[in-house]
Amino acid sequence: MTATSPPHRRLPADPDRRVLLRGGLASSLAPLFGACAATPRAPVLGFASVPPSSADALVVADGYVATPFMPWGEPLGIAGQPMPPWRDDAGNSAAEQALQMGMHHDGMHYFPLDGSRRGLLVMNHEYVDDGLLHATGAADWSAEKVAKSQAAHGISVVEIELKGGTWQPVRPSALARRITATTPFAVGGPAAGHALMRTAADPAGTRVLGTFANCGAGMTPWGTYLSGEENFQDYFVTADTPTRHEQRWGLDRSSWYRWAAHDSRFDTVRHPNEPNRFGWVVEIDPFDPTSTPVKRTALGRAVHEGAWVAVTKDGHAVVYSGEDAAFECIYRFVSRDRIQPGGFKANRELLDHGTLYVARFEAGGRGRWLPLVHGQGPLRAANGFADQGEVLIKARQAADALGGTMMDRPEWLAVDAASRWVYCTLTNNSARGPGGRADVDAANPRARNTMGQIIRWREDGDFDGATFEWNHLALAGDPANERPEARGTIVGDAYSSPDTIAFDPRGVLWICSDVGNSSLNRGEHARLGNNALLACDVATGTTRRLMVGPANCELTGVCFTPDGRTMFVNVQHPGEAPRGRNDPADPRRHGNWPDFRPGGRPRSATVVVRRRDGGVIGA
Ligand code: FEO
Ligand code: CA
Ligand code: CA
């Protein structure tokens, strides 16, 4: 999303959402998707940046207030269900956890019910720290602990309202909902019912239990939430020697989350196709708590960070996504059909039909999209692709065969509808270079890339164009670093490892850093402090730090109310132990935000950011 003024990507404040496509497609999409950029005006960053901080504290710019909200374990207030209070010894049961906020908040969006005063906050809970999740930590592993872990994953839908200048949960709410690793999902698109999707429990291959590893999130113009199933490989165990297909997806005999010990579904020896049912983009109608969420296989299987939607001038949906894994690719789906007026009901199958592409970035600032279509080029039975379903289930292998560019870990994408530039964070890839799977290339220009970069492109013609121009918004880094490759090209406040990016209603690009805890505040990252939230005026590249997170967290999930006066940000994994789990028996803590109770546990939480004067965030 470049330079100029407001992309207006947010949904309007219409409770029934029909306003979205009322009055003709082109005219109604214009205000939403930025055909309104006729009077460009550069966004202004009107706050003084905060310096880097390594304290266990949330630090925000002068004139702003940042308030923790709906942390892990807080009951959602689902109508007709109990509201089990959080126990600060982590003593809640699995059944209670299924009625509470999950752990490790991640991608998030605000869906208006009454403009910027009342809405649904929908968010992912990406993963868990078993050392903190259970009263006795990861010891004495049991079926109850597996069930609690599964209940702490997934997605929360929370109804919230602004009362007297403070956001509060509406409890009970008929719209509040938890989706977990055991909630039934439908399967849509060409891989639905495919032989590789069938299991003993689901011989039709059309109904999957659960979603997990949900990382980034997008929202559609027809009012639904898209969530990416990211590192699903960490939940399965294979035979001692994984199959070639399993190996290509990083599956092996070990599993960090150990669900297979008490749930055989996660043992691929017994259920070889179960992993094929994860790694999808899932679509959820947050306004209907009885709706069955859907895995959208036409968008391809990948370690999806998330999925982000653009709309062509003639009303086709274009969905961008990337695979957050070193040397994996960026994808684009173009819908066969046009978006119809009438919200989700009228667009139920829109994401089931269309063409998936993988990006090839070429030297000289040009690139092209290569179609993942069965029967074209190498995607034939002789090469292991029996049909389109298999191409999608094995999208990685298909991208290999086509020659998609192997990127430095694609994380979030953000679409600037006004200018049609699409931005993608490439968080880092220290394995790039001689001896790695790939050497440097034009799009991924640094060996031992510890800092990451933000790439952007614009298709020729429209979002569905076959070719594109591209460049870098910035190579991240600290200009004081000794190693030239770690210095970067940022104009303004430095950061490393960009992850979440999102445009606000004014067209300012917000960037969250996600430096891993084994690198944070040391070595090349010694001067950058804890992970931070920065604003970037993409017209000039000027970047300014608004907020710094508490110890060992990442900041993620940035979203806004339509008036731009409230920003929601997630603080994920505060106090995380470097390279491992916390140990509840260890009195030392790597952080204790936000409760700071002596001996207590750090908790992921949303943060509500407001200006003291009630003004527009960032202005
Ligand atoms: Fe879950 Fe790629 O961050
Ligand atoms: Ca991420
Ligand atoms: Ca990350």
Side-chain angles (χ1 to χ4, degrees), residues 78-98:
I78 300 167
Q81 300 283 333
M83 284 207 292
W86 188 66
R87 288 180 51 171
D88 60 9
D89 64 351
N92 289 110
S93 67
E96 290 170 335
Q97 174 65 76

mmCIF file of all heavy atoms in Angstrom, residues 78-98:
data_model
loop_
_atom_site.group_PDB
_atom_site.id
_atom_site.type_symbol
_atom_site.label_atom_id
_atom_site.label_comp_id
_atom_site.label_asym_id
_atom_site.label_seq_id
_atom_site.Cartn_x
_atom_site.Cartn_y
_atom_site.Cartn_z
ATOM 1 N N ILE A 78 -20.024 -16.427 26.253
ATOM 2 C CA ILE A 78 -20.821 -17.003 25.167
ATOM 3 C C ILE A 78 -22.229 -17.245 25.700
ATOM 4 O O ILE A 78 -22.407 -17.915 26.726
ATOM 5 C CB ILE A 78 -20.173 -18.321 24.684
ATOM 6 C CG1 ILE A 78 -18.754 -18.031 24.173
ATOM 7 C CG2 ILE A 78 -21.037 -18.997 23.631
ATOM 8 C CD1 ILE A 78 -17.897 -19.266 23.963
ATOM 9 N N ALA A 79 -23.239 -16.692 25.039
ATOM 10 C CA ALA A 79 -24.618 -16.779 25.527
ATOM 11 C C ALA A 79 -25.001 -18.227 25.788
ATOM 12 O O ALA A 79 -24.732 -19.118 24.982
ATOM 13 C CB ALA A 79 -25.562 -16.164 24.500
ATOM 14 N N GLY A 80 -25.608 -18.465 26.953
ATOM 15 C CA GLY A 80 -26.069 -19.808 27.298
ATOM 16 C C GLY A 80 -24.994 -20.708 27.876
ATOM 17 O O GLY A 80 -25.262 -21.862 28.217
ATOM 18 N N GLN A 81 -23.756 -20.196 27.986
ATOM 19 C CA GLN A 81 -22.643 -20.994 28.514
ATOM 20 C C GLN A 81 -22.108 -20.337 29.793
ATOM 21 O O GLN A 81 -22.270 -19.137 29.988
ATOM 22 C CB GLN A 81 -21.510 -21.062 27.495
ATOM 23 C CG GLN A 81 -21.885 -21.688 26.162
ATOM 24 C CD GLN A 81 -21.975 -23.198 26.247
ATOM 25 O OE1 GLN A 81 -21.328 -23.822 27.080
ATOM 26 N NE2 GLN A 81 -22.817 -23.785 25.407
ATOM 27 N N PRO A 82 -21.445 -21.112 30.644
ATOM 28 C CA PRO A 82 -20.829 -20.509 31.841
ATOM 29 C C PRO A 82 -19.729 -19.519 31.461
ATOM 30 O O PRO A 82 -19.240 -19.519 30.327
ATOM 31 C CB PRO A 82 -20.235 -21.711 32.592
ATOM 32 C CG PRO A 82 -20.792 -22.925 31.940
ATOM 33 C CD PRO A 82 -21.216 -22.546 30.549
ATOM 34 N N MET A 83 -19.350 -18.702 32.442
ATOM 35 C CA MET A 83 -18.227 -17.767 32.258
ATOM 36 C C MET A 83 -17.159 -18.100 33.291
ATOM 37 O O MET A 83 -17.002 -17.391 34.288
ATOM 38 C CB MET A 83 -18.685 -16.323 32.435
ATOM 39 C CG MET A 83 -19.460 -15.799 31.253
ATOM 40 S SD MET A 83 -19.320 -14.009 31.107
ATOM 41 C CE MET A 83 -20.220 -13.465 32.527
ATOM 42 N N PRO A 84 -16.406 -19.179 33.079
ATOM 43 C CA PRO A 84 -15.423 -19.585 34.096
ATOM 44 C C PRO A 84 -14.336 -18.528 34.263
ATOM 45 O O PRO A 84 -13.671 -18.174 33.288
ATOM 46 C CB PRO A 84 -14.838 -20.887 33.529
ATOM 47 C CG PRO A 84 -15.142 -20.854 32.074
ATOM 48 C CD PRO A 84 -16.395 -20.056 31.898
ATOM 49 N N PRO A 85 -14.149 -17.996 35.467
ATOM 50 C CA PRO A 85 -13.106 -16.990 35.667
ATOM 51 C C PRO A 85 -11.716 -17.617 35.502
ATOM 52 O O PRO A 85 -11.520 -18.796 35.764
ATOM 53 C CB PRO A 85 -13.320 -16.522 37.113
ATOM 54 C CG PRO A 85 -14.083 -17.618 37.770
ATOM 55 C CD PRO A 85 -14.868 -18.323 36.712
ATOM 56 N N TRP A 86 -10.754 -16.786 35.063
ATOM 57 C CA TRP A 86 -9.391 -17.273 34.895
ATOM 58 C C TRP A 86 -8.782 -17.553 36.254
ATOM 59 O O TRP A 86 -8.933 -16.763 37.194
ATOM 60 C CB TRP A 86 -8.549 -16.237 34.156
ATOM 61 C CG TRP A 86 -7.202 -16.779 33.799
ATOM 62 C CD1 TRP A 86 -6.934 -17.785 32.922
ATOM 63 C CD2 TRP A 86 -5.936 -16.365 34.324
ATOM 64 N NE1 TRP A 86 -5.581 -18.023 32.860
ATOM 65 C CE2 TRP A 86 -4.946 -17.161 33.716
ATOM 66 C CE3 TRP A 86 -5.535 -15.397 35.237
ATOM 67 C CZ2 TRP A 86 -3.592 -17.026 33.979
ATOM 68 C CZ3 TRP A 86 -4.194 -15.257 35.506
ATOM 69 C CH2 TRP A 86 -3.231 -16.060 34.883
ATOM 70 N N ARG A 87 -8.097 -18.670 36.356
ATOM 71 C CA ARG A 87 -7.371 -19.003 37.584
ATOM 72 C C ARG A 87 -5.899 -18.696 37.363
ATOM 73 O O ARG A 87 -5.278 -19.226 36.442
ATOM 74 C CB ARG A 87 -7.572 -20.483 37.921
ATOM 75 C CG ARG A 87 -8.979 -20.756 38.420
ATOM 76 C CD ARG A 87 -9.156 -22.228 38.747
ATOM 77 N NE ARG A 87 -8.097 -22.732 39.623
ATOM 78 C CZ ARG A 87 -8.106 -23.939 40.189
ATOM 79 N NH1 ARG A 87 -9.115 -24.766 39.971
ATOM 80 N NH2 ARG A 87 -7.110 -24.326 40.955
ATOM 81 N N ASP A 88 -5.347 -17.880 38.239
ATOM 82 C CA ASP A 88 -3.986 -17.430 37.965
ATOM 83 C C ASP A 88 -2.927 -18.474 38.311
ATOM 84 O O ASP A 88 -1.740 -18.243 38.099
ATOM 85 C CB ASP A 88 -3.684 -16.060 38.583
ATOM 86 C CG ASP A 88 -3.830 -16.049 40.083
ATOM 87 O OD1 ASP A 88 -3.994 -17.140 40.658
ATOM 88 O OD2 ASP A 88 -3.785 -14.951 40.666
ATOM 89 N N ASP A 89 -3.371 -19.646 38.785
ATOM 90 C CA ASP A 89 -2.430 -20.769 38.880
ATOM 91 C C ASP A 89 -2.528 -21.644 37.630
ATOM 92 O O ASP A 89 -1.997 -22.755 37.602
ATOM 93 C CB ASP A 89 -2.704 -21.612 40.131
ATOM 94 C CG ASP A 89 -4.072 -22.293 40.086
ATOM 95 O OD1 ASP A 89 -4.872 -21.979 39.177
ATOM 96 O OD2 ASP A 89 -4.324 -23.155 40.945
ATOM 97 N N ALA A 90 -3.224 -21.142 36.593
ATOM 98 C CA ALA A 90 -3.442 -21.890 35.345
ATOM 99 C C ALA A 90 -4.207 -23.179 35.615
ATOM 100 O O ALA A 90 -4.064 -24.160 34.889
ATOM 101 C CB ALA A 90 -2.133 -22.168 34.609
ATOM 102 N N GLY A 91 -5.043 -23.168 36.650
ATOM 103 C CA GLY A 91 -5.761 -24.380 37.044
ATOM 104 C C GLY A 91 -7.069 -24.608 36.312
ATOM 105 O O GLY A 91 -7.797 -25.553 36.651
ATOM 106 N N ASN A 92 -7.402 -23.790 35.308
ATOM 107 C CA ASN A 92 -8.645 -24.027 34.565
ATOM 108 C C ASN A 92 -8.571 -25.343 33.808
ATOM 109 O O ASN A 92 -7.520 -25.725 33.285
ATOM 110 C CB ASN A 92 -8.912 -22.888 33.573
ATOM 111 C CG ASN A 92 -9.301 -21.598 34.272
ATOM 112 O OD1 ASN A 92 -8.541 -20.641 34.289
ATOM 113 N ND2 ASN A 92 -10.483 -21.564 34.865
ATOM 114 N N SER A 93 -9.719 -26.013 33.717
ATOM 115 C CA SER A 93 -9.787 -27.283 32.988
ATOM 116 C C SER A 93 -9.834 -27.035 31.486
ATOM 117 O O SER A 93 -10.019 -25.898 31.028
ATOM 118 C CB SER A 93 -11.057 -28.031 33.406
ATOM 119 O OG SER A 93 -12.193 -27.310 32.947
ATOM 120 N N ALA A 94 -9.731 -28.129 30.727
ATOM 121 C CA ALA A 94 -9.871 -28.026 29.266
ATOM 122 C C ALA A 94 -11.252 -27.499 28.905
ATOM 123 O O ALA A 94 -11.391 -26.652 28.006
ATOM 124 C CB ALA A 94 -9.633 -29.395 28.630
ATOM 125 N N ALA A 95 -12.272 -27.974 29.593
ATOM 126 C CA ALA A 95 -13.640 -27.530 29.288
ATOM 127 C C ALA A 95 -13.795 -26.036 29.565
ATOM 128 O O ALA A 95 -14.479 -25.319 28.818
ATOM 129 C CB ALA A 95 -14.642 -28.343 30.107
ATOM 130 N N GLU A 96 -13.166 -25.568 30.639
ATOM 131 C CA GLU A 96 -13.219 -24.127 30.933
ATOM 132 C C GLU A 96 -12.446 -23.320 29.894
ATOM 133 O O GLU A 96 -12.891 -22.257 29.445
ATOM 134 C CB GLU A 96 -12.673 -23.869 32.341
ATOM 135 C CG GLU A 96 -13.609 -24.381 33.432
ATOM 136 C CD GLU A 96 -12.978 -24.345 34.817
ATOM 137 O OE1 GLU A 96 -11.733 -24.395 34.927
ATOM 138 O OE2 GLU A 96 -13.754 -24.298 35.796
ATOM 139 N N GLN A 97 -11.271 -23.839 29.512
ATOM 140 C CA GLN A 97 -10.454 -23.132 28.513
ATOM 141 C C GLN A 97 -11.233 -22.934 27.208
ATOM 142 O O GLN A 97 -11.065 -21.916 26.524
ATOM 143 C CB GLN A 97 -9.155 -23.906 28.253
ATOM 144 C CG GLN A 97 -8.286 -23.353 27.140
ATOM 145 C CD GLN A 97 -7.728 -21.968 27.426
ATOM 146 O OE1 GLN A 97 -6.806 -21.806 28.186
ATOM 147 N NE2 GLN A 97 -8.323 -20.949 26.791
ATOM 148 N N ALA A 98 -12.109 -23.880 26.874
ATOM 149 C CA ALA A 98 -12.878 -23.781 25.625
ATOM 150 C C ALA A 98 -13.904 -22.652 25.668
ATOM 151 O O ALA A 98 -14.495 -22.311 24.634
ATOM 152 C CB ALA A 98 -13.567 -25.104 25.331
#
